Amino acid sequence: MDLQSLTYFAAVVDRGSVTRAAESLYISQPSLSQSIRTLERRLGVTLFDRRGGRLELTADGRAFDTAARRILADVERAKERVEAVRALRAGRVDLVTYPAFAIDPLVDLLRRFRQRHPGVVVRVLDAAGPDEVDATMRRGDAEVAVQDAPRGAQRTLHLCDQELVLVVPTALATRLPNPVPRAALADIPLVIDLTDTVYAELVATGGVRGGGPVLDCTHANATRELVLAGAGATIVPRPVARAAFAQLVHRPLSPPAARAVGLTLRAGKPSPAAAAFASVARAWSGR
């Protein structure tokens, strides 16, 4: 099996037909069709269901697609190492995270990395949550992840512990104690993302358990606008409260709430750019 066969296969998957894939690769359709048939013969499986007007991956094809893209991603990173990435005057690091960390600590990490390595491109991928982060790393689409990280987790650098605070419209804050007992959350209208397990567990321990006055919102910008408009309170890390809700009241919780944040590298030897990002993150964590 050669890299050209993998490239041809990926092009057919992405384009949905041999004709369009051949056009994008600047080769003839018969040559591409023959290459795919040869690949199937070598693997001993059928990769595409050829019924209908559009090619669809078989179960074997889907499994091979994941492996093929991982190989192609690894080869691409190997090329980067050869092409002057050693000096970090060029190259790219692919990072994946989810909305909980989009402001803190990601913004400061990226700012410091760009100051140190201005020639390296950072591609930030957005995931819905931890499961999607893991899937993105397994596919080889990212080398670095910023995510929830319990202390002691393998291949994870502990970056910081975020203190979680209640952000409250001024009119609502006047009747709340300081700090706010977690049990009081059951009586506070909340705008919060319950798909985030950290927030969901915190709300549940406060007695809400899905039956309280909760507006379950997965969109960070919509949550901010709703809270600013007085629709309810929300729970965010203190740096996010300062940056996005400066005009509102910030109250700590009792007992205090926090989430551990870590940086995870994909298994295997990291690219120079990913290793450099981890080095900057390590220095940042000890600031």
Side-chain angles (χ1 to χ4, degrees), residues 146-189:
V146 175
Q147 59 184 333
D148 287 293
R151 290 184 182 275
Q154 290 187 342
R155 300 191 60 80
T156 297
L157 166 68
H158 181 263
L159 294 175
C160 63
D161 289 311
Q162 293 179 330
E163 180 195 4
L164 301 179
V165 297
L166 186 70
V167 174
V168 194
T170 304
L172 180 59
T174 56
R175 60 182 177 86
L176 292 177
N178 188 14
V180 178
R182 293 193 192 185
L185 294 176
D187 300 317
I188 299 172

Side-chain angles (χ1 to χ4, degrees), residues 10-21:
V12 174
V13 174
D14 291 341
R15 299 289 176 171
S17 80
V18 173
T19 300
R20 287 192 290 271

Side-chain angles (χ1 to χ4, degrees), residues 98-221:
Y98 37 96
F101 311 117
I103 294 178
D104 177 65
L106 191 60
V107 170
D108 201 35
L109 278 175
L110 293 178
R111 179 183 63 81
R112 295 195 183 202
F113 183 76
R114 292 289 294 164
Q115 288 175 343
R116 187 88 173 268
H117 304 290
V120 177
V121 175
V122 181
R123 185 174 72 131
V124 180
L125 303 176
D126 182 32
D131 290 343
E132 192 171 335
V133 164
D134 292 343
T136 301
M137 297 280 275
R138 285 197 303 271
R139 289 196 305 267
D141 291 341
E143 279 193 282
V144 180
V146 175
Q147 59 184 333
D148 287 293
R151 290 184 182 275
Q154 290 187 342
R155 300 191 60 80
T156 297
L157 166 68
H158 181 263
L159 294 175
C160 63
D161 289 311
Q162 293 179 330
E163 180 195 4
L164 301 179
V165 297
L166 186 70
V167 174
V168 194
T170 304
L172 180 59
T174 56
R175 60 182 177 86
L176 292 177
N178 188 14
V180 178
R182 293 193 192 185
L185 294 176
D187 300 317
I188 299 172
L190 292 175
V191 183
I192 201 161
D193 179 9
L194 293 181
T195 64
D196 187 312
T197 55
V198 172
Y199 293 139
E201 290 173 7
L202 180 59
V203 169
T205 59
V208 178
R209 301 191 185 280
V214 172
L215 197 163
D216 185 4
C217 183
T218 61
H219 198 288
N221 288 336

